[in-house]
Amino acid sequence: METKPGKEKPLKYVMLAGIYNEPRSGYELTKWLQVVGQHCWSVEHSSVYPALRELEKEGLISSERLPGTRGPERSIYSVTDSGREKLTVWVANASPRPAIKDEQILRVLCFDLLPRETALRQIAEVRAHHQSQLEFFLARQAALTEKQLGPLLVTRRGVLAEQAYVAWCDEVSEIIARRPA
């Protein structure tokens, strides 16, 4: 019995999406995930190669050994017709509500335990990180065209998410600054 697209491991579809956009080596796929998918999906590098082997075994991708740019041969993975069909079915279905796992928000829940200056320092550090991410996404967005629709839309989501996080940090800082020391 075939599993419904939403019931399978999401990693399978993350990998298919990355390879669909451009045939890649496992290393290139890991780097792609760090750039394009950093705000929507995290993948441990150690899980990339086992997932690629599984996808190839299932006939959803194929590999070709090609000379490396700076070293030995490497496997370049491409989506097969079967993989493209499976990916299309998955893309056509709605996603479940995303699980939000943000340790910083959990810490803010307990900011009343901290002295005002400690909380302000922490939120300033968080804001600086998200501001840096925002600048990264804005630069990436400027380099993309509508011919790169998927990466452009995902990057745009990254821009909006980082803008919202920076604005939230500013609001948190203002509220904490009004607290007695």
Side-chain angles (χ1 to χ4, degrees), residues 11-25 28-29 32-33 36 52 55 60-62 76-91 147-151 154:
L11 178 58
K12 177 183 286 188
Y13 297 105
V14 171
M15 305 291 278
L16 282 172
I19 298 167
Y20 164 74
N21 277 279
E22 179 182 320
R24 305 172 198 276
S25 68
E28 291 167 335
L29 185 59
W32 176 82
L33 286 164
V36 175
L52 287 170
L55 288 169
L60 301 176
I61 62 172
S62 61
I76 302 297
Y77 298 91
S78 300
V79 175
T80 63
D81 289 342
S82 177
R84 186 181 173 112
E85 288 173 23
K86 190 165 196 78
L87 184 60
T88 300
V89 169
W90 177 75
V91 170
K147 290 185 180 186
Q148 300 159 303
L149 183 62
V154 170

Side-chain angles (χ1 to χ4, degrees), residues 67-176:
T69 54
R70 288 185 264 166
E73 283 190 340
R74 60 196 180 132
S75 294
I76 302 297
Y77 298 91
S78 300
V79 175
T80 63
D81 289 342
S82 177
R84 186 181 173 112
E85 288 173 23
K86 190 165 196 78
L87 184 60
T88 300
V89 169
W90 177 75
V91 170
N93 287 290
S95 297
R97 183 174 179 184
I100 298 172
K101 295 180 182 178
D102 186 334
E103 190 174 330
Q104 184 59 51
I105 292 175
L106 292 175
R107 290 173 192 268
V108 170
L109 275 172
C110 301
F111 261 16
D112 60 330
L113 295 170
L114 299 177
R116 181 177 64 188
E117 293 310 313
T118 303
L120 284 170
R121 185 175 52 252
Q122 187 180 122
I123 205 69
E125 290 170 5
V126 171
R127 186 194 189 285
H129 168 74
H130 285 280
Q131 182 65 43
S132 174
Q133 288 295 110
L134 174 58
E135 290 165 13
F136 169 82
F137 284 126
L138 288 169
R140 180 160 169 69
Q141 177 179 281
L144 294 169
T145 68
E146 288 192 15
K147 290 185 180 186
Q148 300 159 303
L149 183 62
L152 177 62
L153 295 175
V154 170
T155 300
R156 184 69 188 133
R157 173 62 173 92
V159 167
L160 294 172
E162 295 304 332
Q163 286 173 333
Y165 216 114
V166 167
W168 176 75
C169 287
D170 290 342
E171 186 175 328
V172 168
S173 292
E174 289 173 19
I175 292 168
I176 292 171

